Amino acid sequence: MEREREVVLEAVSRYGVSKDARDRSSAAGWLGRLRYREGHFDEAATLQEQAASLDPWAGLRVVALSRAASAHMEGFRFEEAER
């Protein structure tokens, strides 16, 4: 887990500030997945929603929104998950 955290945080520090929306979307998604694995479900959901809002590809937006819904469900936020 510690190595995963190091790699993700390094990647986020590089790509999270990019001018390219796809890079920022990826960074938010990676960090969201890490936060989910750490049990920080509210933050994970927010990051996945951010990833979805930035990604130009419909298929990847669906993936990010599905991950956000899963995180909301883990945090017992069923109305947000249904949204």
Side-chain angles (χ1 to χ4, degrees):
M1 188 70 191
E2 185 57 37
R3 180 68 179 137
E4 178 182 353
R5 185 177 297 110
E6 290 172 12
V7 170
V8 168
L9 294 178
E10 181 178 335
V12 168
S13 73
R14 291 183 188 185
Y15 294 98
V17 296
S18 172
K19 293 180 182 181
D20 185 271
R22 179 73 183 98
D23 289 345
R24 293 191 318 275
S25 173
S26 294
W30 298 328
L31 187 55
R33 288 173 60 189
L34 174 65
R35 295 301 184 233
Y36 184 94
R37 287 183 27 79
E38 293 173 331
H40 303 289
F41 302 119
D42 290 341
E43 184 180 0
T46 299
L47 286 162
Q48 292 298 346
E49 289 167 351
Q50 179 183 356
S53 73
L54 291 168
D55 206 299
W57 296 98
L60 295 176
R61 287 194 305 268
V62 169
V63 169
L65 290 173
S66 175
R67 289 178 176 159
S70 292
H72 281 306
M73 289 174 61
E74 289 290 345
F76 301 100
R77 296 178 177 268
F78 302 115
E79 288 181 20
E80 288 91 340
E82 184 176 23
R83 178 182 43 84

